[in-house]
Amino acid sequence: MSDPTREIAWFATKGAGTNEARRIRELLSGLEAVCEWPFSKKDKRGSFATLWRKLRARRPGLMVMEGTGLAGGLICLLGRLLWRVPYIVSSGDAVGPFFRSHRPMFGWLFAIYERVLCRFCAGFIGWTPYLAGRALTFGAPRAVTAAGWPLAGATRRTREEVRRHFGISTEAIVVGIIGALEWNDSRGYGYGWELAKCARQLDDPRFVFLIVGEGAGLARLRKEVESLPPGRVVLPGAVPLEEVMEVISAMDLGSLPQSMDGVGLFRYTTKLSEYAAAGLPVITSQIPVAYDLGHDWMWRLPGEGPWTDEYVGAMTSLLRGLTPEEIEARRRAVPGQLEAFDREAQIARVTSFIRDILASKQSG
């Protein structure tokens, strides 16, 4: 019979089968006695009850939470308080600013929650070094960076075949984005909105805007571009994970819209690793990562966020004067496989990190 005190239990607050669950499963693949505890984002109360029962019965040697959802965080804090079960948090967002951007009235509450979660954790896995530093500032005793890697499969269709599938000319300059097209009511913005606005301002038939994904923002995007010439903005909905890299390879420029606040400034986002792997130059904001990892293959636009007229105007001006030669020069500067997104190196780092935490708990 296995010893539960040596068991490493993990769960992802986005739910089983998500990219986040796949990420943490692989990051923990170098460790022994690892098991997944079920969690469903659609049934947070039920998931909380299930985790509570498992926690009381098993009392594992360590819990690892991918994400910062309240239901999962409360389980971690209760396990720490009642049975001294240590926990690790892995996150790609600054919790307080993220919730403040979506629900301004409750931002202060989640700012407190973020600090408490960091203060009592055994360690923090940040998707960026900026998030790791933030967690340390809030009291996390240890931190390590694991930025992620492209989770999508290899390309099978050629660039031309993918374009033909979407009805896009081989001569077009394709500016694209792929991701969850959620809508932020407080900002009046969702991914792809900056491209739809730019398409309305840019009277240049060379450009096609490809916005791939699903979410509440998709219907708004379709309404925004309905008066444009057919094919100027392509909105195919979601694509299977194994086709993501194929779709990205059909683009010429990738959009990486981020806000210049406590949300965007701390991020890399998973899209960046995929864009880099595909050799895709990127248009983004003046965020730290655009200087740290992409100073010579990213265009950095001004503005507080991609929903502002300043940002959209700057993108429109950039594209209006852009030449194929400039695009090719930026493409040649893309490093392809960035060291920050090396999968094996991240697994090795996280393995050592967790083993050191477990060793310190046993000796203590």
Side-chain angles (χ1 to χ4, degrees):
M1 181 179 295
S2 62
D3 179 3
T5 62
R6 298 181 61 85
E7 184 177 78
I8 300 173
W10 69 268
F11 60 92
T13 57
K14 284 287 185 71
T18 60
N19 283 350
E20 288 76 8
R22 291 178 58 179
R23 162 193 161 86
I24 197 63
R25 180 187 295 112
E26 293 194 44
L27 282 176
L28 300 177
S29 62
L31 297 158
E32 300 78 31
V34 176
C35 66
E36 178 181 4
W37 284 6
F39 193 96
S40 171
K41 186 178 180 180
K42 294 180 179 179
D43 183 17
K44 295 177 183 177
R45 290 185 179 181
S47 295
F48 178 89
T50 299
L51 291 180
W52 174 248
R53 288 193 296 268
K54 283 186 169 290
L55 177 60
R56 285 195 305 173
R58 300 291 296 176
R59 302 185 193 179
L62 179 69
M63 288 194 297
V64 181
M65 176 174 68
E66 177 62 58
T68 51
L70 187 59
L74 288 176
I75 286 293
C76 291
L77 290 168
L78 286 170
R80 169 72 165 74
L81 175 66
L82 297 176
W83 299 295
R84 300 181 65 82
V85 175
Y87 67 88
I88 291 173
V89 178
S90 173
S91 176
D93 276 308
V95 182
F98 178 83
F99 279 95
R100 187 164 58 246
S101 72
H102 286 75
R103 295 180 174 85
M105 288 183 61
F106 299 100
W108 65 272
L109 181 61
F110 282 93
I112 295 172
Y113 166 67
E114 180 180 18
R115 285 163 170 78
V116 171
L117 200 61
C118 291
R119 169 64 181 82
F120 292 102
C121 75
F124 186 90
I125 303 172
W127 287 35
T128 71
Y130 324 128
L131 288 167
R134 180 182 175 89
L136 291 170
T137 301
F138 289 160
R142 302 167 183 253
V144 68
T145 301
W149 54 89
L151 295 176
T155 59
R156 292 183 297 273
R157 293 179 295 176
T158 66
R159 170 185 172 92
E160 290 72 24
E161 288 172 332
V162 175
R163 287 194 170 202
R164 189 160 53 246
H165 173 77
F166 289 127
I168 300 173
S169 165
T170 56
E171 290 78 27
I173 300 174
V174 179
V175 188
I177 189 171
I178 186 165
L181 306 182
E182 302 300 337
W183 187 256
N184 186 326
D185 284 318
S186 66
R187 299 291 195 191
Y189 174 78
Y191 276 152
W193 191 249
E194 74 287 352
L195 297 186
K197 288 288 188 181
C198 183
R200 290 179 60 85
Q201 295 182 15
L202 185 66
D203 186 20
D204 189 334
R206 295 182 302 159
F207 289 93
V208 171
F209 298 86
L210 176 60
I211 306 171
V212 182
E214 288 184 346
L218 182 56
R220 295 174 183 266
L221 288 169
R222 285 175 173 158
K223 185 172 181 61
E224 178 68 18
V225 304
E226 62 185 3
S227 63
L228 293 175
R232 180 67 56 82
V233 177
V234 180
L235 294 160
V239 298
L241 182 63
E242 59 271 16
E243 295 180 10
V244 165
M245 292 305 295
E246 292 181 348
V247 173
I248 291 175
S249 72
M251 301 175 185
D252 295 292
L253 304 169
S255 179
L256 190 75
Q258 293 298 318
S259 53
M260 294 292 291
D261 58 15
V263 179
L265 291 172
F266 286 98
R267 279 180 168 175
Y268 281 178
T269 85
T270 54
K271 285 184 288 296
L272 182 55
S273 65
E274 294 164 351
Y275 288 167
L280 196 67
V282 168
I283 301 172
T284 188
S285 310
Q286 294 173 353
I287 52 177
V289 70
Y291 300 95
D292 292 345
L293 298 185
H295 70 278
D296 54 353
W297 56 280
M298 296 186 193
W299 287 275
R300 295 172 293 275
L301 303 184
E304 295 181 2
W307 56 85
T308 64
D309 291 340
E310 183 179 10
Y311 186 95
V312 174
M315 177 181 284
T316 304
S317 296
L318 169 68
L319 296 182
R320 186 175 288 127
L322 203 57
T323 66
E325 291 75 22
E326 290 177 273
I327 296 174
E328 181 57 31
R330 296 269 178 157
R331 179 182 287 276
R332 287 196 301 267
V334 180
Q337 180 59 57
L338 285 162
E339 184 181 356
F341 302 120
D342 182 86
R343 175 183 176 275
E344 298 306 321
Q346 292 175 71
I347 292 173
R349 282 203 302 273
V350 170
T351 300
S352 298
F353 179 69
I354 292 179
R355 282 179 175 162
D356 287 346
I357 288 175
L358 291 173
S360 68
K361 296 299 177 184
Q362 291 170 2
S363 63

